Amino acid sequence: MKSAEILRNVVETIDEVRKRIDSLKNLSDRNKKKALVLLEEARNNFLAVADNVVEDNEELANFFLKRVVRLKNSTNDKFIEKFGQREYMSQVSTIARYSKVAPYDFSGDVRNLQKAYRAFLFGMIPFYIISGIFGPVYAITALILVIPTLLSMLSLRKRGSIGLMLAFAVMPIPMVMGAFSVRYAVYALSNSGEIMKIAHELGKSPLTAQILVLIIGLLGGASIVLLSYASYMLYRHRHAFL
């Protein structure tokens, strides 16, 4: 595949950058050591991807090559003197991040991210349903989380790190709400007095009240399971986000 050849060019260019770093005078020894470690990691990551390309993506491979060439052209004392060590190290760190992202686009692992997206989406839906049932206070809390939830979904689909952070910020409340729902369902189903109270307030039969409580418990359980899975998958594949 053409991508594999381009990715090997990326590895060769990184090797050239590493050789140039040793001769830099305007880069501190500490940053030299850090840069070499990051580039060694990036080199190994890109090489592993090049040896195991499943899905050809020539455009993305060329993008990585251009960024590495840019780093190579920046690896000189004039650039560091003009723009500073921080800017140079930022370019090095960016290459290291790209090397961790690359496997998802060339090995097909991006499918795992799609599973995480769906788990997050379907895990949030029960939360909004339950919040509407439990009353105004919970409904207001749900409304507050609508915008962060939508933003996180949009960003996650674009593999944005902001979406990842928003998702982790949003999920705790629905998971707590799910646990509360399950606990309440267990309590209500084992307490005939609570069922009769619900039936009276709704103007429905005790059987209808039992079914409603059971649905609340199932929705809460589904929310916990799906969001726990989404949390695990998103954290496990956190390097796929930029």
Side-chain angles (χ1 to χ4, degrees), residues 1 3-4 7 46 49-50 52-62 64 101-109:
M1 292 185 181
S3 294
L7 289 170
F46 278 122
V49 174
N52 297 281
V53 173
V54 175
E55 297 184 3
D56 200 24
N57 192 333
E58 188 175 340
E59 182 180 355
L60 183 61
N62 277 317
F64 290 145
V101 170
Y104 291 90
D105 295 283
F106 294 97
S107 67
D109 284 346

Side-chain angles (χ1 to χ4, degrees), residues 57-74:
N57 192 333
E58 188 175 340
E59 182 180 355
L60 183 61
N62 277 317
F63 170 78
F64 290 145
L65 181 58
K66 288 177 182 178
R67 294 306 296 263
V68 173
V69 169
R70 176 186 171 190
L71 174 63
K72 176 184 173 182
N73 294 334
S74 300

Side-chain angles (χ1 to χ4, degrees), residues 217-238:
L218 291 175
L219 287 173
S223 184
I224 294 173
V225 172
L226 289 169
L227 291 180
S228 295
Y229 177 76
S231 298
Y232 167 74
M233 290 295 286
L234 289 174
Y235 179 78
R236 179 180 177 183
H237 300 288
R238 63 193 181 279

